[in-house]
């Protein structure tokens, strides 16, 4: 349950329509949670920007404030609520500049009615499957004009008013024909598909915990201008991609209208049920953006995410993401490739593919080893330096996937595979399967097929029924596996998840949970310190990101073995032959020092 603080005793401020004198209302964004949520924010920003809104990085200047929320665990929900309340204050301050508050994302799917009941200053809500409805929520029409009669109601998904581009896409059309139709439409409208601009009120991709440094992160809201403002290009040419360099989908397959057999079965078993959620819509989210969807990039200029799929069919008993995001559904492969090509035109050199489970990609479209097929197609795109994919499922990391990683220099030798635990009994209760030996064999196989690969994983401690013996087995596994990047999270008892209904006597005391987490992180610290020492003397390609947030005396960068924002850092204390460095640029560097999780480098060229 989320806790709401009393904001004010004043009467609720009634939302008033924007005046016609303000044809370009200023919109500020706060994006919370994971990179998948960030892409949703970028899509909503793109829809607003391309239909008459102006984005602003200053909350005090925003007439409309959008908060894209996270609802994965209790701390995420509370952070979302606190951020909403903070933005409500902006609605009252600065002479009433902020006229509307829109709440979007996962919190809406879980607490749709409760949000508007307990925080009446919220004027509209937009669920995870209703991104195009952000226009109506902001009082805009697809033509880009303010809608002075907006009732602030969310339009049903699929209605013309809630749709930016209404194309009659038949199931018999090829990917190339669909892409060409959408590209032509955009060209006629004179609009760019992907822009870089001030991201508005931006807080994104920040982890809720920093387990590697054994501290919780509860960052105050940062009202900043996105690094995207420093982008060098804006992509003046609209997309024109026929998608003809990959095999077409089988006839009758249409992205977004298909599903995996596993998903259908689990739906029949009640996996996606939201009946107990107050105000949740009966229909599960089905939205998928594509390469013709306007998008504003808010990541540093050389990097971007591409969401290749949405939703999840897995039965994990600790998780409510399937209810929040709907059944697993893949984007068309040609659409992903077209988006990647357009991103590269904008100067993007690092692309990270994301989804709730990227290893399921394409199964609903008739592909076998769909992720490997997609990687083969993307890895050879001219101009791309680094290609990475996040969030894999252990039993779906295939030999072909690993061989594909090894084959292409552009694919980062980086495998993110959340294992969640090592005890067979705990994994069984989690409804995940596997055991310590199976996982050790997988890691050994990955290291054998992909030389130099780094492994990232995460574990949950304190899951109901976890005994001291289970914990010791996890401890022994971490010692044996020598994971490169590791996070340990404490179990969060989420209403709506199957584990929530487990007997109270199986629930592990919080003191025990916290103690186990601390011990595991101390163990990992020793493993990481030793591993990082072996980096010293190594020459690397380094993507420079800019001045360090910790001190003006250092700059920061990443190697291809560091995913954005979640892994350790490479600090730069010597610019070598350069007077200064350019953020978003690749340099050759040498590792000169190592610490527990971070390393220090000097620029060579």
């Amino acid at each position: 349950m989320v806790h709401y603080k009393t904001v004010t005793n004043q009467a609720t401020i009634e939302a008033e329509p924007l005046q016609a004198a303000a044809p370009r209302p200023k919109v500020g964004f706060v994006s919370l949670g994971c990179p998948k949520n960030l892409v949703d924010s970028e899509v909503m920003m793109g829809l607003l920007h391309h239909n008459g809104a102006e984005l602003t990085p200053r909350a005090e200047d925003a007439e409309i404030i959008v908060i894209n929320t996270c609802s994965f665990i209790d701390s995420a929900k509370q952070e979302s609520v606190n951020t909403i309340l903070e933005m409500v204050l902006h609605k009252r301050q600065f002479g009433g500049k902020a006229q509307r508050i829109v709440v979007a994302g996962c919190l809406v799917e879980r607490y749709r009615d409760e949000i508007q009941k307990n925080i009446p200053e919220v004027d509209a809500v937009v669920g995870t499957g209703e991104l195009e409805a952000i226009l109506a929520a902001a009082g805009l029409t697809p033509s880009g004009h303010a809608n002075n009669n907006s009732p602030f109601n969310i339009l049903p998904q699929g209605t013309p008013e809630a749709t930016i581009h209404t194309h009659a896409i038949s199931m018999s059309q090829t990917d190339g024909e669909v892409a060409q139709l959408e590209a032509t439409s955009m060209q006629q409208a004179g609009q760019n598909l992907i822009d870089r601009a001030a991201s508005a009120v931006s807080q994104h991709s920040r982890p809720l915990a920093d387990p590697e440094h054994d501290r919780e992160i509860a960052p105050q809201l940062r009202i900043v201008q996105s690094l995207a403002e420093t982008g060098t290009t804006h992509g003046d040419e609209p997309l024109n991609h026929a998608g003809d360099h990959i095999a077409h989908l089988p006839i009758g397959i249409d992205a977004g209208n298909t599903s995996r057999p596993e998903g259908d079965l689990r739906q029949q078993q009640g996996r996606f049920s939201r009946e107990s959620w107050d105000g949740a819509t009966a229909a599960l989210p089905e939205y998928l953006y594509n390469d013709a969807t306007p998008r504003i990039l808010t990541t540093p200029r050389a990097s971007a995410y591409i969401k290749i799929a949405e939703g999840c069919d897995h039965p994990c008993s600790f998780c409510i993401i399937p209810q929040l995001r709907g059944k697993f559904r893949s984007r068309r492969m040609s659409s992903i490739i077209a988006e990647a090509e357009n991103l590269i035109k904008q100067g993007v050199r690092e692309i990270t593919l994301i989804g709730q489970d990227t290893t399921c990609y394409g199964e609903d479209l008739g592909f076998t080893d769909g992720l490997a097929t997609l990687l083969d197609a993307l890895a050879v795109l001219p101009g791309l330096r680094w290609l990475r994919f996040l969030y894999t499922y252990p039993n779906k990391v295939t030999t072909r996937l690993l061989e594909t990683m090894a084959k292409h220099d552009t694919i980062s030798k980086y495998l993110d595979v959340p294992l969640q635990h090592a005890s067979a009994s705990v994994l069984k209760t989690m409804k995940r399967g596997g055991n310590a030996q199976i996982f050790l064999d997988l890691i050994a196989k990955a290291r054998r097929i992909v030389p130099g690969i780094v492994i990232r994983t995460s574990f949950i401690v304190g899951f109901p029924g976890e005994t001291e013996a289970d914990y010791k087995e996890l401890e022994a596994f971490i010692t044996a596996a020598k994971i490169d990047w590791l996070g340990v999270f404490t179990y969060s008892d989420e209403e709506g998840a199957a584990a929530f209904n487990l007997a109270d006597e199986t629930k592990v005391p919080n003191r025990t949970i916290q103690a186990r987490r601390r011990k595991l992180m101390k163990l990992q610290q020793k493993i990481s310190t030793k591993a990082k020492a072996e980096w010293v003397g190594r020459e690397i390609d380094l993507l420079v990101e800019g001045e360090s947030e910790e001190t003006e005396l250092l700059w920061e960068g990443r190697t291809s073995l560091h995913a954005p924002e979640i892994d350790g850092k490479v600090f730069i204390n010597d610019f070598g032959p350069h007077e200064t460095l350019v953020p978003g640029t690749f340099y050759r560097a040498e590792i000169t020092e190592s610490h527990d999780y971070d390393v220090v480098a000097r620029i060579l060229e």
Side-chain angles (χ1 to χ4, degrees):
M1 179 62 65
V2 255
H3 302 287
Y4 301 90
K5 298 177 184 176
T6 301
V7 179
T8 180
N9 292 324
Q10 299 176 7
T12 299
I13 298 177
E14 297 294 333
E16 297 180 1
L18 296 174
Q19 300 301 313
R24 287 181 61 80
K26 292 186 177 181
V27 183
F29 259 80
V30 184
S31 189
L32 303 172
C34 64
K36 297 180 288 292
N37 227 33
L38 177 63
V39 172
D40 289 348
S41 294
E42 292 178 337
V43 167
M44 287 189 284
M45 289 181 191
L47 291 169
L48 290 166
H49 176 69
H50 282 260
N51 286 274
E54 176 184 348
L55 298 176
T56 175
R58 294 168 52 83
E60 56 268 34
D61 292 340
E63 298 164 288
I64 302 165
I65 297 177
V66 182
I67 305 104
N68 194 14
T69 60
C70 180
S71 186
F72 181 48
I73 56 178
D74 276 340
S75 57
K77 289 186 287 188
Q78 201 59 57
E79 182 187 23
S80 294
V81 171
N82 292 343
T83 303
I84 295 168
L85 297 179
E86 187 168 352
M87 292 300 98
V88 163
L89 294 179
H90 282 278
K91 188 174 180 179
R92 297 205 172 83
Q93 297 170 352
F94 305 106
K97 185 79 171 179
Q99 300 176 35
R100 301 179 184 177
I101 300 289
V102 180
V103 177
C106 292
L107 196 73
V108 171
E109 295 294 340
R110 179 65 182 85
Y111 298 104
R112 184 181 295 261
D113 286 357
E114 193 172 338
I115 291 170
Q116 295 183 300
K117 176 183 177 182
N118 289 280
I119 313 179
E121 294 82 3
V122 172
D123 299 296
V125 292
V126 177
T128 61
E130 304 165 322
L131 299 191
E132 290 170 327
I134 189 64
L135 296 178
L140 292 172
T141 64
S143 61
H145 301 291
N147 179 3
N148 291 334
N149 297 313
S150 171
F152 297 100
N153 291 328
I154 297 308
L155 297 172
Q157 187 176 335
T159 60
E161 294 86 352
T163 305
I164 257 292
H165 309 295
T166 307
H167 299 309
I169 301 177
S170 71
M171 294 177 67
S172 62
Q173 284 178 301
T174 67
D175 286 347
E177 290 168 341
V178 170
Q180 184 66 52
L181 174 64
E182 292 171 336
T184 301
S185 174
M186 290 298 291
Q187 187 170 16
Q188 290 172 347
Q191 297 175 320
N192 299 323
L193 299 180
I194 299 176
D195 288 319
R196 287 196 180 274
S199 72
V201 187
S202 175
Q203 178 180 350
H204 61 264
S205 302
R206 297 290 175 180
L208 294 170
D210 184 10
E212 291 176 350
H213 294 81
D214 197 30
R215 64 189 172 97
E216 297 295 328
I217 292 180
Q220 298 300 312
L221 180 67
R222 299 180 302 114
I223 300 174
V224 299
Q225 194 157 0
S226 170
L227 288 174
E229 180 107 45
T230 63
T232 56
T233 62
H234 291 269
D236 294 326
E237 296 181 4
L239 176 70
N240 185 10
H241 171 72
D244 57 0
H245 59 288
I246 66 164
H248 295 311
L249 291 174
I251 294 177
I253 298 294
D254 188 20
N257 295 324
T258 59
S259 58
R260 300 166 66 238
E262 294 93 329
D264 296 336
L265 175 61
R266 286 171 185 145
Q267 185 172 28
Q268 294 172 9
Q269 296 170 341
R271 176 65 177 114
F272 304 95
S273 175
R274 311 196 293 181
E275 291 181 1
S276 63
W277 289 4
D278 185 28
T281 57
L284 288 169
E286 295 182 351
Y287 181 81
L288 273 174
Y289 84 99
N290 59 42
D291 55 285
T293 306
R295 181 177 168 194
I296 297 290
L297 298 181
T298 62
T299 44
R301 65 173 186 157
S303 304
Y305 294 104
I306 294 180
K307 189 186 292 190
I308 64 173
E310 182 61 275
C312 182
D313 296 337
H314 293 307
C316 307
S317 61
F318 53 81
C319 185
I320 60 171
I321 286 177
Q323 294 103 303
L324 295 172
R325 292 280 176 174
K327 295 167 69 175
F328 183 87
R329 51 206 186 273
S330 303
R331 286 179 55 192
R332 289 179 178 272
M333 192 173 291
S334 60
S335 176
I336 296 169
I337 295 169
E339 183 180 14
E341 290 179 328
N342 205 22
L343 287 168
I344 292 169
K345 289 178 183 177
Q346 318 309 312
V348 168
R349 296 296 175 260
E350 175 191 37
I351 290 176
T352 301
L353 307 179
I354 55 175
Q356 304 301 335
D357 173 7
T358 52
T359 43
C360 280
Y361 174 75
E363 290 183 4
D364 52 330
L365 302 178
F367 288 107
T368 300
D369 266 315
L371 179 58
T373 303
L374 176 62
L375 291 171
D376 269 328
L378 293 174
V380 297
L381 293 180
L384 182 64
R385 289 286 297 267
W386 292 349
L387 177 63
R388 182 187 296 103
F389 55 96
L390 300 180
Y391 320 119
T392 66
Y393 206 73
N395 67 357
K396 290 185 174 292
V397 178
T398 65
T399 299
R400 184 186 167 192
L401 177 61
L402 294 171
E403 290 174 345
T404 301
M405 294 177 66
K407 179 171 60 174
H408 297 285
D409 291 339
T410 47
I411 298 180
S412 299
K413 313 314 176 192
Y414 182 105
L415 183 64
D416 176 44
V417 54
L419 299 176
Q420 309 303 1
H421 215 281
S423 163
S425 62
V426 174
L427 287 164
K428 182 178 180 180
T429 310
M430 286 180 170
K431 295 188 178 179
R432 286 183 64 88
N435 58 47
Q437 190 56 55
I438 289 174
F439 294 160
L440 286 173
D441 291 345
L442 171 62
I443 292 170
K445 179 180 178 180
R447 288 171 173 164
R448 183 177 66 254
I449 295 176
V450 189
I453 193 172
V454 301
I455 309 290
R456 178 172 185 91
T457 193
S458 58
F459 297 108
I460 298 172
V461 290
F463 187 81
E466 182 188 62
T467 65
E468 184 66 20
D470 293 324
Y471 164 74
K472 289 295 184 182
E473 188 171 358
L474 176 57
E475 196 175 63
F477 174 82
I478 292 174
T479 300
K482 295 180 172 56
I483 303 293
D484 301 278
W485 305 116
L486 184 148
V488 180
F489 297 90
T490 57
Y491 171 72
S492 180
D493 211 18
E494 293 302 312
E495 187 177 359
F500 183 83
N501 299 319
L502 294 174
D504 288 343
E505 56 265 27
T506 67
K507 304 295 173 72
V508 181
N510 187 58
R511 284 182 59 185
T512 303
I513 295 175
Q514 297 298 337
R516 289 175 179 174
R517 177 183 175 277
R518 284 193 297 270
K519 285 193 288 185
L520 287 183
M521 291 319 305
K522 287 180 181 178
L523 171 61
Q524 177 61 21
Q525 184 179 32
K526 294 177 182 178
I527 294 171
S528 180
T529 300
K530 184 176 180 180
K532 294 300 173 289
E534 296 176 0
W535 285 39
V536 175
R538 183 185 300 181
E539 288 192 14
I540 56 168
D541 288 326
L542 186 65
L543 174 59
V544 170
E545 295 187 310
E547 190 177 280
S548 172
E549 294 180 357
E550 299 184 17
T551 172
E552 296 179 357
L553 301 177
L554 297 173
W555 276 44
E556 292 179 8
R558 287 187 295 107
T559 72
S560 65
L561 306 181
H562 294 75
E565 298 191 319
I566 62 174
D567 296 324
K569 298 178 179 179
V570 179
F571 292 106
I572 306 163
N573 65 354
D574 185 343
F575 288 7
H578 306 280
E579 270 191 40
T580 187
L581 303 179
V582 180
T585 302
F586 292 82
Y587 295 85
R588 193 68 178 166
E590 179 188 8
I591 303 298
T592 58
E593 300 175 35
S594 68
H595 300 280
D596 293 342
Y597 301 102
D598 306 320
V599 294
V600 179
R602 66 183 181 93
I603 301 298
L604 297 176
E605 58 184 67

